[in-house]
Structures are given as structure tokens and as C-alpha cells.
Amino acid sequence: QLQLVHSGGGSVQAGGSLNLSCTVSGFTFDYLPMGWYRKAPGNECELVSTITAEGATVYADSVKGRFTISQDNAKRTLYLQMNNLQREDTAVYYCAAVPLDPLCREDYWAQGTQVTVSS
């Protein structure tokens, strides 16, 4: 059974930083591309960043240069270091394999971690 344990969310002021983590169990983590997604209030879900098993990374334009994705296969954990956070980064963040179809699945984002950025 798939289980995603998220941590690291919280409330910060604009310009602050947070480091999210997601520990995965229930499926093979080592060779699947993984991603961080987010769901903002009233908005559709968005794929924020992806990382392949080889470590290649891709970022949405909105977070490029501010967020860094990484993974520790031994710990089966995915990370998202978020710097210079802005109000528009406020969302529930969740991890999943890539691709996730549909992009916005309640069984995934309901397990996510809340990030709230205030000005």
C-alpha cells in the first residue's frame, strides 16, 4: 500500500525558507522519476519540480532559482528546499511519482504538507 509521509511545512514570512521532505513506502522508489506538486486554494494542482533516478532535475518557471529538489534513495525520501518564498507559493505540497494522472488527486494532496507564506 502506497504511503507518503510529508513533513517540513509551516508558516513563514516572504523571503523565508522551508525544507520539505516526503518519505515513501509501498512502491519502488529507486528508479521512478519523482516530483513535488502543489495545490493552492482555489487553483489547479501544479507540478513544481521533478527528479529522475539519475538525478536530473526540472523546475517550473515560477520556482526556478528558488527551489531545489533532491532525494536520498537509501532513506526513500524526497526533499524540496524552498528559498525566498513568496505569497504565491502558499499551497499544500505533496510528492508523487511522475507522471501523476490525474495531476490533482485528493488521495495524494490530502496527505501533503501546508506551506503558508505571509507578506
Side-chain angles (χ1 to χ4, degrees), residues 54-111:
E54 295 77 21
T57 58
V58 177
Y59 298 93
D61 287 342
S62 58
V63 307
K64 201 172 294 183
R66 300 187 298 120
F67 291 10
T68 303
I69 190 172
S70 62
Q71 61 188 3
D72 185 330
N73 289 339
K75 295 182 179 179
R76 304 175 64 82
T77 300
L78 191 69
Y79 302 96
L80 187 67
Q81 175 65 43
M82 306 186 297
N83 298 326
N84 191 21
L85 283 160
Q86 304 299 314
R87 288 189 64 182
E88 54 266 31
D89 296 318
T90 295
V92 173
Y93 287 73
Y94 57 102
C95 77
V98 177
L100 182 64
D101 185 23
L103 192 65
C104 211
R105 287 182 51 170
E106 184 173 357
D107 57 335
Y108 278 79
W109 60 257
Q111 299 185 62

Side-chain angles (χ1 to χ4, degrees), residues 2-19:
L2 176 65
Q3 188 172 17
L4 307 168
V5 179
H6 298 82
S7 63
S11 297
V12 296
Q13 290 192 326
S17 298
L18 288 171
N19 189 25

Side-chain angles (χ1 to χ4, degrees), residues 1 20 33 36 45 52 79 88 102-104 106 118:
Q1 182 179 356
L20 308 183
W36 280 98
C45 296
T52 69
Y79 302 96
E88 54 266 31
L103 192 65
C104 211
E106 184 173 357
S118 59

